[in-house]
Amino acid sequence: MDIDSIECVIDNDEIHHHLNHQFSSTKSHGGATVATNIVGPTAIAPATSVYELLECPVCTNSMYPPIHQCHNGHTLCSTCKARVHNRCPTCRQELGDIRCLALEKVAESLELPCKYYNLGCPEIFPYYSKLKHESLCNFRPYSCPYAGSECAVVGDITYLVAHLRDDHKVDMHTGCTFNHRYVKSNPREVENATWMLTVFHCFGQYFCLHFEAFQLGMAPVYMAFLRFMGDEEDARNYTYSLEVGGSGRKLTWEGTPRSVRDSHRKVRDSHDGLIIQRNMALFFSGGDRKELKLRVTGRIWKEQQNPDSGVCIPNMCV
C-alpha cells in the first residue's frame, strides 16, 4: 500500500452530534467567572470526543486543513508538524506526509457557536468559517490600550478602564475638553519617549489621549492622537481637535478618533494625529529652546443628525 494514500478512519457515531441539547461552558473574563448556556434547536455543538479530536495536541488550537497524522493515526496541525522535527509528539514515530482526510471531512460537517458566545455573540458558524468570524467578532475582548508597556490584559471596556486606573495609574478626567502640558528636560531623547496616557469620559464613552516622541525617518517628532475605547463603527460618531501653539503661532488637527481595536503602534505609524517637528515644538516651548514645555489643548464632540435638514451638527459637551 502506498503510505501517502493512507487516511485515518473515524467511527461515524462520533461524527455528528445533533440539535436539541444543551451546550454549556464556564470561562473567566475580566477577573470574573462567567457561566453561559446555549439551549434549544439553534444550538449545535460537537460531541466532546470529536471536539478533542480536532484539537492539536501540541498547540491545543483547533486544526484546519491540511490535518496531518502519523502511521499510528495520531494527528496534529500543519503549523506544529514543522515544529516537531518530523516526529509524532504522541508516539515519537517518524511522521510521513499523510493527510487525515476523514477528520477534515468531520470538521466540514460541524457547526459551532462563536467562542465569544459567553460575551454575547449569538452566531453559529460552520467549522471552517468560525475562525475568520472570531478574528473580527464585535464581541471579542479589547486589548489594553496602554502604550508604555507590553500589557497583555484583555477585557471589556468597563474592565479595562478600571485596569488602566488601578494598575497603570493613568490620569482620569471627566469632560470633553482638555489642556495638557508636556515637559521633557532633554528633548533630544526621542526613542521610547512616551508620556502618561490620559483617559477622558464624556458622552458616556471613554477616550485615550496619547502623546509621545519618535523618529520619523531622520526627523525627531512629537505626536498627539486620540483613540476611542470601542469599535470603529461607533468611533465614527465622534470628532476631536488638537492644538499647540506659542509666540502668536499655532498648529491644529481635527479628525476622527481611532478605535482601540487598532493597536497603539498601528495608529502611530499611520501618522493619524497631530505631528509636531521637534524644532517647532521647542519654538512653541519658548525660552532658550533647550527644554520641551508644550501645551496641548483639545476638544471632543459628537456628530448628531439634524432630523430637519439631514445635516450632521456638532454636539458640544460642556
Side-chain angles (χ1 to χ4, degrees):
M1 181 183 292
D2 185 356
I3 292 297
D4 288 344
S5 67
I6 295 177
E7 298 179 8
C8 64
V9 178
I10 298 174
D11 189 339
N12 285 335
D13 291 339
E14 293 185 346
I15 293 180
H16 299 290
H17 206 208
H18 295 290
L19 304 178
N20 301 320
H21 71 285
Q22 177 171 303
F23 179 68
S24 64
S25 176
T26 302
K27 294 188 178 181
S28 176
H29 175 65
T33 299
V34 181
T36 304
N37 294 323
I38 298 179
V39 184
T42 60
I44 306 173
T48 301
S49 58
V50 176
Y51 188 80
E52 290 175 349
L53 285 172
L54 287 165
E55 184 179 275
C56 175
V58 179
C59 64
T60 70
N61 292 325
S62 297
M63 294 188 290
Y64 294 86
I67 298 175
H68 297 275
Q69 72 171 65
C70 73
H71 300 297
N72 292 325
H74 302 126
T75 56
L76 75 164
C77 71
S78 57
T79 301
C80 290
K81 182 177 184 291
R83 297 175 180 172
V84 297
H85 308 293
N86 206 37
R87 290 285 176 183
C88 173
T90 302
C91 67
R92 309 307 300 167
Q93 294 296 311
E94 184 175 350
L95 288 169
D97 190 19
I98 308 169
R99 286 277 293 278
C100 189
L101 301 181
L103 190 56
E104 293 178 8
K105 287 291 186 182
V106 168
E108 287 181 2
S109 71
L110 298 178
E111 291 187 323
L112 303 173
C114 171
K115 73 177 181 180
Y116 301 120
Y117 68 87
N118 64 326
L119 301 180
C121 182
E123 302 294 337
I124 294 174
F125 295 90
Y127 186 81
Y128 292 140
S129 303
K130 179 173 174 283
L131 196 64
K132 181 178 180 181
H133 161 78
E134 289 170 352
S135 69
L136 301 171
C137 179
N138 287 336
F139 291 91
R140 71 192 189 278
Y142 298 87
S143 298
C144 174
Y146 192 75
S149 65
E150 296 297 326
C151 184
V153 169
V154 298
D156 60 21
I157 297 302
T158 301
Y159 176 73
L160 288 181
V161 168
H163 164 69
L164 289 168
R165 181 192 64 230
D166 300 335
D167 299 331
H168 292 299
K169 311 298 182 185
V170 304
D171 293 332
M172 307 289 294
H173 292 274
T174 298
C176 301
T177 61
F178 45 90
N179 187 341
H180 277 38
R181 190 165 178 258
Y182 297 98
V183 178
K184 188 172 180 61
S185 59
N186 185 1
R188 298 198 174 276
E189 294 178 357
V190 295
E191 292 299 325
N192 300 317
T194 301
W195 277 258
M196 180 63 72
L197 180 71
T198 305
V199 175
F200 297 92
H201 182 239
C202 63
F203 299 113
Q205 306 289 343
Y206 290 94
F207 302 81
C208 299
L209 177 64
H210 296 263
F211 184 81
E212 61 188 86
F214 63 98
Q215 202 78 21
L216 182 57
M218 298 298 292
V221 299
Y222 297 94
M223 182 175 177
F225 57 93
L226 198 73
R227 295 164 77 198
F228 173 74
M229 295 188 70
D231 287 323
E232 181 181 357
E233 183 177 351
D234 294 325
R236 296 193 191 105
N237 295 324
Y238 302 91
T239 304
Y240 75 102
S241 63
L242 296 172
E243 181 178 302
V244 293
S247 303
R249 280 86 172 170
K250 66 181 179 181
L251 288 175
T252 60
W253 163 269
E254 184 175 306
T256 301
R258 295 281 286 274
S259 165
V260 291
R261 292 290 191 201
D262 291 334
S263 69
H264 155 264
R265 178 59 64 90
K266 180 178 180 179
V267 179
R268 194 198 77 175
D269 290 350
S270 70
H271 310 150
D272 192 1
L274 176 64
I275 296 178
I276 314 137
Q277 292 186 345
R278 183 173 63 193
N279 288 339
M280 181 64 74
L282 293 177
F283 174 76
F284 288 151
S285 299
D288 55 10
R289 302 190 185 186
K290 293 182 179 180
E291 183 178 22
L292 179 74
K293 295 180 179 178
L294 197 62
R295 187 173 298 279
V296 178
T297 61
R299 175 182 289 274
I300 305 166
W301 64 91
K302 183 177 183 179
E303 302 290 350
Q304 290 190 329
Q305 197 78 17
N306 187 325
D308 297 325
S309 65
V311 178
C312 286
I313 57 175
N315 179 14
M316 296 295 186
C317 147
V318 179

